[in-house]
Amino acid sequence: KEDDMVYRKTIYDHEDWNRHRCNRRHMRHMLAIATSRVVAGLLPPVVRLTMVASVIVLYNIFLTGYFPCVGILHVSSLPFQLAAPALALLLVFRTNASYGRYDEARKSWATIASRSRDMARQAVTFFRHPADASLLHHLLQHLIALPYCVKDHLTREDDLRKELTDIVKVEDDDLTAIMSSTHRPNYVLQAMSYIVHSSRISDMQKAVLDSNIVSLQDQVVGCERLFTTPIPLCYTRLTSRILVVWHLLLPLALWDQCTWITIPATFLSAAALFCIEEVGVLIEEPFSILPLSTISNTIRSNVVTILQQHQEWSILRNGL
Amino acid sequence: KEDDMVYRKTIYDHEDWNRHRCNRRHMRHMLAIATSRVVAGLLPPVVRLTMVASVIVLYNIFLTGYFPCVGILHVSSLPFQLAAPALALLLVFRTNASYGRYDEARKSWATIASRSRDMARQAVTFFRHPADASLLHHLLQHLIALPYCVKDHLTREDDLRKELTDIVKVEDDDLTAIMSSTHRPNYVLQAMSYIVHSSRISDMQKAVLDSNIVSLQDQVVGCERLFTTPIPLCYTRLTSRILVVWHLLLPLALWDQCTWITIPATFLSAAALFCIEEVGVLIEEPFSILPLSTISNTIRSNVVTILQQHQEWSILRNGL
Amino acid sequence: KEDDMVYRKTIYDHEDWNRHRCNRRHMRHMLAIATSRVVAGLLPPVVRLTMVASVIVLYNIFLTGYFPCVGILHVSSLPFQLAAPALALLLVFRTNASYGRYDEARKSWATIASRSRDMARQAVTFFRHPADASLLHHLLQHLIALPYCVKDHLTREDDLRKELTDIVKVEDDDLTAIMSSTHRPNYVLQAMSYIVHSSRISDMQKAVLDSNIVSLQDQVVGCERLFTTPIPLCYTRLTSRILVVWHLLLPLALWDQCTWITIPATFLSAAALFCIEEVGVLIEEPFSILPLSTISNTIRSNVVTILQQHQEWSILRNGL
Amino acid sequence: KEDDMVYRKTIYDHEDWNRHRCNRRHMRHMLAIATSRVVAGLLPPVVRLTMVASVIVLYNIFLTGYFPCVGILHVSSLPFQLAAPALALLLVFRTNASYGRYDEARKSWATIASRSRDMARQAVTFFRHPADASLLHHLLQHLIALPYCVKDHLTREDDLRKELTDIVKVEDDDLTAIMSSTHRPNYVLQAMSYIVHSSRISDMQKAVLDSNIVSLQDQVVGCERLFTTPIPLCYTRLTSRILVVWHLLLPLALWDQCTWITIPATFLSAAALFCIEEVGVLIEEPFSILPLSTISNTIRSNVVTILQQHQEWSILRNGL
Amino acid sequence: KEDDMVYRKTIYDHEDWNRHRCNRRHMRHMLAIATSRVVAGLLPPVVRLTMVASVIVLYNIFLTGYFPCVGILHVSSLPFQLAAPALALLLVFRTNASYGRYDEARKSWATIASRSRDMARQAVTFFRHPADASLLHHLLQHLIALPYCVKDHLTREDDLRKELTDIVKVEDDDLTAIMSSTHRPNYVLQAMSYIVHSSRISDMQKAVLDSNIVSLQDQVVGCERLFTTPIPLCYTRLTSRILVVWHLLLPLALWDQCTWITIPATFLSAAALFCIEEVGVLIEEPFSILPLSTISNTIRSNVVTILQQHQEWSILRNGL
């Protein structure tokens, strides 16, 4: 079902791209239309508007058929023609602003992944003093826990405790501390900062690791900014209202040229334009669309790989 | 009332997003139309233009009905059709430029939040010398005071003294100094810089804290830039004038095809297009829309949490 | 007069924004139309094109009235309808590119303000050795002189000598050196660099101050880039030519449907579209629009405030 | 054949640009239309839609010719005229979003080239201790191997082993290690980091080289982000569906005015609009279009040239 | 002649801007139309398309005049009206993408100028040891040579040897080395790096100069990227093909309403739209348009001025 596809929160691979570019995609998209959650979501308003159109059409056909003195409900299409470009631009620009937010969110998470790898790579190199071994362990655990905490903060999927226990395997003390903090990502970042500054590494190395924490902090705040601040509500309401008024009056303009075809024409026009708006609203809050779980898991496996590889090399060198 | 919603200066949470994506939003927006302050704000010009349209329509109906020799006021719609795309683009691009400013302002405040957290986190780690304890206290107080001062500078809400006393709890001397300075955000930044350079921390640590002050300074100047420089006035005036002339002449073009429907058609066209322009003007100065109080309070609570957490850990370690 | 308003080179304050958002702004803009310098500037080409339209209309009315065998000058409106979106896009995109340049210029000057404040703040903290006192004085004087030199470089308003003497109060030697240099902003930057490197401050502090000079240098080069390189001339010429040809032929297309109304219709169409182009050309070179004097004065007063505040604090501390 | 041209993955030189700007390019493009793989790729959906149009036309001509009581299949063109700007914007904005991705990918690879050159240049200067000679050799080999590994990661062309053996000439141990790692680019980056930190160069020099690794890491993650995250699928599906529905119904709207010309008109309209969509889909995943092999080879030859030049100079100086 | 104006590769000064904003510019542009190289360049395809239009018109007038049974060649204009917005957007977006490249190229060269000045300023300050005097001389010579080498690399104007000898005055050895290197800008950058690291300045100073080389390297790679990678060819071909097909068929659509005016109408439509495309292609490779010679000369004179000023000051101080 497409439901799942929309919410599968896909990480694309080579197969997916081939399928994406395949010239049968149009047919596939048409066949999946009935199972699309986006389409299902916008049916109610579209159906309501189509019903208004039907009432107008029925009135024009029947009532005026029997009582010729009653006026037909119709207007000229000229005002619609003059306003059409403005409506189109408004809709598509709003969708584009939403896409800008989506892109920004995706870049923030890519930066989280990038900085986590840097931090892991640098930490395993810097923490050489034996007494720092447990600090390193703690640091990497918090580093792995961070994306899960950010994800939980942004989506409230309520499986953070399970993830921290099963996937990150944080210790019980840390788990309690993280779960009971008021702002978990911030707590984890401060804990990482504290671990770094408690260690025996040089000041310059501390500065390098700290700059990663600064960058991670930026991403957390950036994601929070996207989450807490939608596109100005007056813009969103404006688009929505113009769209509704447009389709309430459209049947009057179509009547002269389309008679009963006004009904399917209104339906299709509403479906198309409300769908553009719906997509704009859907990707405006990108975190429920982005595959945050997969990205978090990738970060975890990256950090683990870096640690294992480093230990392997250390053994090799010490073995020699 | 929508008034409040527009000016509620919202921080969105999960509930709000669900409501935002809900497919009954269109109906909600339509029902709230009567209470919308944006709509109320643009009624006067729209009503005036509709009255002009009514005069033209009445003239065409009555005067020419009695005195057939008098010419009907009407023109061809062709020039309007040719100019419609330019009008639409002009309006929507201007709104987009305003959105760009809104986005920039929001990012500036996110950076203020981010840098404040960084500075607090680093300061509690760096200021270890007992003699620096009071400096740290002063530094954090000024750090918390900064967003309130910036907010006051940008919005003149006149509650700065109260906020500094009740929320930030600055000491009386500092309060007097801040309130009597000519440019409060700049004063607070310089005070922070002075505190940092008066302390016993290392030169490298001073450099790290100073780089945060530099970044905060950038945001203050950035916000001031947005505030003091609107979109070029000639651009704004051009849009406004074309819009007015367009709607003054529109009834003449609509008459042939719409007769008395010219009046509601002019009304709706003016309402839609002036509303696009109104939204563009409203978000052009974003600081009266953005939830600056909430962001400032969040920054305060973040800094306080960081300090408490650090003290807790210090006690734990020293206790061992 | 609006002349003055356009060239008042405004720094907006709270009053201005209230006025800017006031719903009577449209009326104000319409009333000011006669005094607008933008409008006055584009009258000549618009009037010339309207005269061409009048000749065509008169020819069609009178000559063909007396000599029916002579053909009426008219064409179908179809080619115009097909080309209208391209014309609109071309115009509005060009205006948008100009706005991008305006925005960039404003950001450059904000960065100059920001870096000047940073440099002053850091310099008063770093220059503690008594033997450096006169160097500090020189450095700050050059720092204050910089924006005036950049402004003079970009606008040739020919009051630099007066400003340097009266406002910045540079010494006579320096004044001669600055005025006789081939590229004044570059000279001032090099002088600042020389002062910094002649001082007794640490290497790291020199590096910090030098990074500010690097950033100021970037802004100077950035402003020069905007000034020396317009939007590609072929783009500008293309827009201008298409606009002229369009309005030369427009009367032929309007004749069939508008008869004598062709004349005012051509006038209004030309006025609107040439005005969009005019605004695009006006803000393409943003330095004659931006309030550079006010920004320079603000920078001066910022630097002076920082110095005074620092001296006050030093006295306080030393007094204790 | 154009196939090859599309996939020649061109690096342009002066000849190509002259050809690109030559005023016979339009004719060349028209003649190559039959061999274009893009065009071939979108033939199936276009042909299918044209067949639907043919069925409608044939029905209207023949069936209604014999059975006049059967209704002709046709609708007014008005709804199409009102929706045309929205369709156009949707298509072109999507293509533009894809172009943004293409541009970003190209910039990432330019940064990889830039950072590789920096790293090589700095490494040959820093690694002066004789005992580090073999480390330098290893480092440069991994540096050369990196773009091939990234290319393999993004395109699965399955010639990595051959390239690493023949072009990069990595040693057998390294080859095995690289080929067996789970994420080859990450492995190579970690290996480079390990080599740098194992060497005898100063801490500051390590920091400089490390910052290059950080930047290379960013590019790898950036490319992966583009690869794993397409433009939101709901956006892509929306465009595709609107396009198909549009062309399914278009023949009905064209019939009244075009009769049998509806068939070629539908064909051309579908060809043009599907082609815009196809180009948008084609450049959405830019790595199969970009000349990654050529860029990788250039990086290799750059690094080799830097090493040779450095050795030449060293001999010169030591010889003196 | 405009030829020269297009290729004068202008650096604008105050006079030019006054002329640029002058309200007689439209007339000037119209008068220069005959000498415009852009216009001349696109005449061939436009003339060819006009000839096709003429054949169609002649066929419709004469053949069908004598043989009424032969069908007139004409189609409805409806499909053209529906596709016009898409064509306009496609053209203008492509031109905009080209403008983005132009802007980027100009910014790259501004950064080269900025970094060259920084490097010269810092080098004259850092190289104080008498034994480094000849290294400084070499470094500055290579710094001046760099923009000429980059220019030569990007435009193949074949006067590099002359410029290096006459303007930069490099020594014979260096000239041979530069001219015989495979990639001259890269060679010069590596030579600068080698000189810096051979000198007796501190490590921190080396790092500062090196960061300038890194930034210059970025610009060289950035310019190369723009040069070697055009806008995706499939995009360019698509625009060109749609444009040609559009104008091949346009006469059929215009015939019904325009008869013989179809010929000039096709000519003007083709001229306008092909001109937009031509401008997009012309500025896509910006290096043949940008005034690189002038920028290179400015950089040279900047560096020379910095050196002279520094020597003057040194003499002054040593004289005291």
Side-chain angles (χ1 to χ4, degrees), chain A residues 78 81-83 85, chain B residues 76-89 242 246 250 253, chain C residues 75-89 91-92 243 246-247 249-255 257-258 262 265-266 268-270 272-273 276, chain E residues 81 84:
Chain A
L78 182 60
Q81 284 169 7
L82 295 178
Chain B
S76 157
S77 66
L78 182 60
F80 287 84
Q81 283 168 8
L82 294 179
L87 177 67
L89 278 165
I242 291 187
W246 176 273
L250 187 62
Chain C
V75 297
S76 157
S77 66
L78 181 60
F80 288 84
Q81 283 169 8
L82 294 178
L87 176 67
L89 278 166
L91 266 180
V92 176
L243 213 50
W246 177 273
H247 284 103
L249 301 178
L250 186 62
L252 304 176
L254 294 180
W255 171 256
Q257 297 186 32
C258 301
T262 296
T266 305
L268 286 171
S269 168
L273 300 189
I276 299 176
Chain E
Q81 283 168 6

Side-chain angles (χ1 to χ4, degrees), chain E residues 34 48 65 106 112 129 236:
Chain E
R48 253 175 258 132
R106 186 63 186 93
I112 292 179
H129 196 289
T236 305

Side-chain angles (χ1 to χ4, degrees), chain C residues 184-195:
Chain C
R184 287 159 196 164
N186 280 354
Y187 172 84
V188 172
L189 285 167
Q190 193 181 355
M192 282 161 63
S193 169
Y194 190 79
I195 295 169

Side-chain angles (χ1 to χ4, degrees), chain E residues 59-293:
Chain E
Y59 172 91
N60 278 352
I61 291 180
F62 295 106
L63 267 87
T64 63
Y66 293 101
F67 312 94
C69 53
V70 178
I72 282 179
L73 292 174
H74 69 132
V75 298
S76 157
S77 66
L78 182 60
F80 288 85
Q81 283 168 6
L82 294 178
L87 176 67
L89 278 166
L90 207 62
L91 266 179
V92 176
F93 266 90
R94 200 195 166 289
T95 305
N96 236 44
S98 291
Y99 176 66
R101 290 167 58 92
Y102 172 89
D103 203 44
E104 214 182 315
R106 186 63 186 93
K107 277 178 186 158
S108 265
W109 275 81
T111 307
I112 292 179
S114 207
R115 286 294 85 71
S116 298
R117 275 191 53 83
D118 285 336
M119 187 134 190
R121 189 170 51 71
Q122 291 163 344
V124 297
T125 317
F126 294 165
F127 282 70
R128 293 190 161 170
H129 196 289
D132 280 350
S134 107
L135 283 179
L136 176 62
H137 177 70
H138 260 68
L139 180 64
L140 295 184
Q141 261 190 348
H142 279 89
L143 187 60
I144 296 173
L146 180 66
Y148 292 101
C149 293
V150 178
K151 175 169 77 77
D152 172 71
H153 192 67
L154 296 171
T155 61
R156 286 287 137 84
E157 286 171 347
D158 279 330
D159 43 7
L160 180 60
R161 181 179 292 274
K162 204 166 158 295
E163 286 171 342
L164 289 183
T165 318
D166 296 358
I167 306 180
V168 189
K169 298 194 169 55
V170 295
E171 279 149 46
D172 282 357
D173 285 6
D174 292 340
L175 181 66
T176 316
I178 293 173
M179 294 305 292
S180 63
S181 60
T182 51
H183 192 298
R184 287 160 196 163
N186 281 354
Y187 172 84
V188 171
L189 284 168
Q190 194 182 355
M192 281 161 62
S193 169
Y194 191 79
I195 295 170
V196 165
H197 286 282
S198 309
S199 71
R200 285 166 187 79
I201 63 177
S202 78
D203 272 12
M204 195 156 157
Q205 291 172 331
K206 281 182 186 172
V208 167
L209 292 180
D210 198 85
S211 78
N212 282 319
I213 297 178
V214 166
S215 175
L216 289 168
Q217 175 76 59
D218 274 347
Q219 308 316 316
V220 171
V221 171
C223 288
E224 258 185 315
R225 170 175 56 78
L226 287 174
F227 187 80
T228 55
T229 326
I231 289 173
L233 291 181
C234 50
Y235 200 156
T236 305
R237 275 197 211 104
L238 167 67
T239 317
S240 158
R241 280 168 184 162
I242 290 187
L243 214 49
V244 171
V245 173
W246 177 274
H247 283 104
L248 281 175
L249 301 177
L250 187 62
L252 303 176
L254 294 180
W255 170 256
D256 280 347
Q257 297 187 33
C258 301
T259 64
W260 69 266
I261 290 175
T262 296
I263 300 174
T266 304
F267 174 80
L268 286 171
S269 169
L273 300 189
F274 275 88
C275 195
I276 300 177
E277 203 256 8
E278 180 80 16
V279 165
V281 168
L282 201 75
I283 64 181
E284 185 180 349
E285 193 273 87
F287 303 106
S288 55
I289 304 280
L290 283 170
L292 302 189
S293 279

Side-chain angles (χ1 to χ4, degrees), chain B residues 214 217-219 221, chain C residues 109-119:
Chain B
V214 166
Q217 175 76 59
D218 274 347
Q219 307 317 316
V221 170
Chain C
W109 275 81
T111 307
I112 291 179
S114 206
R115 286 295 84 69
S116 298
R117 276 191 51 83
D118 286 335
M119 188 133 189

Side-chain angles (χ1 to χ4, degrees), chain D residues 1-232:
Chain D
K1 284 183 185 172
E2 195 185 50
D3 285 27
D4 298 340
M5 287 202 287
V6 170
Y7 295 92
R8 212 179 44 168
K9 299 175 177 181
T10 333
I11 289 283
Y12 254 44
D13 61 16
H14 292 88
E15 278 314 294
D16 290 318
W17 278 111
N18 283 340
R19 204 158 153 274
H20 189 80
R21 277 187 296 246
C22 157
N23 64 31
R24 296 167 68 181
R25 66 180 182 275
H26 301 292
M27 186 156 286
R28 206 173 58 232
H29 295 156
M30 291 312 294
L31 295 175
I33 219 165
T35 58
S36 156
R37 208 200 287 201
V38 178
V39 171
L42 51 82
L43 264 190
V46 170
V47 165
R48 253 175 258 133
L49 287 166
T50 311
M51 278 163 56
V52 172
S54 309
V55 168
I56 292 171
V57 165
L58 292 175
Y59 172 90
N60 278 351
I61 291 180
F62 293 106
L63 269 87
T64 63
Y66 292 101
F67 312 94
C69 53
V70 178
I72 282 180
L73 292 174
H74 70 133
V75 297
S76 158
S77 66
L78 182 61
F80 289 84
Q81 283 169 6
L82 294 179
L87 176 68
L89 277 165
L90 207 61
L91 266 180
V92 176
F93 265 89
R94 201 196 165 288
T95 306
N96 236 45
S98 291
Y99 176 65
R101 291 167 58 92
Y102 173 88
D103 203 44
E104 215 182 315
R106 186 63 186 92
K107 277 179 186 157
S108 265
W109 276 81
T111 306
I112 292 179
S114 207
R115 286 294 85 72
S116 298
R117 276 191 52 83
D118 286 336
M119 187 133 190
R121 189 170 50 71
Q122 290 163 345
V124 296
T125 317
F126 293 166
F127 281 70
R128 293 190 160 168
H129 197 288
D132 281 351
S134 108
L135 284 179
L136 175 61
H137 177 71
H138 259 68
L139 180 65
L140 295 185
Q141 261 189 349
H142 279 89
L143 187 59
I144 295 173
L146 180 66
Y148 293 101
C149 292
V150 179
K151 175 169 76 77
D152 172 71
H153 191 67
L154 296 170
T155 61
R156 289 284 138 87
E157 286 171 348
D158 279 330
D159 44 6
L160 179 60
R161 182 178 292 274
K162 204 164 158 294
E163 286 172 341
L164 289 184
T165 318
D166 295 0
I167 306 182
V168 189
K169 299 192 169 54
V170 296
E171 280 149 46
D172 281 357
D173 286 6
D174 292 341
L175 181 66
T176 316
I178 293 174
M179 294 305 292
S180 63
S181 60
T182 50
H183 191 298
R184 287 160 196 163
N186 281 354
Y187 172 83
V188 172
L189 284 167
Q190 193 182 355
M192 281 161 62
S193 169
Y194 191 78
I195 295 170
V196 165
H197 287 282
S198 310
S199 72
R200 285 165 187 81
I201 63 176
S202 77
D203 273 11
M204 195 156 158
Q205 291 173 332
K206 282 181 185 171
V208 167
L209 292 181
D210 198 86
S211 78
N212 283 319
I213 297 178
V214 165
S215 175
L216 288 169
Q217 175 76 61
D218 274 348
Q219 307 317 316
V220 170
V221 171
C223 288
E224 257 185 316
R225 171 175 56 78
L226 288 174
F227 187 80
T228 55
T229 326
I231 290 173

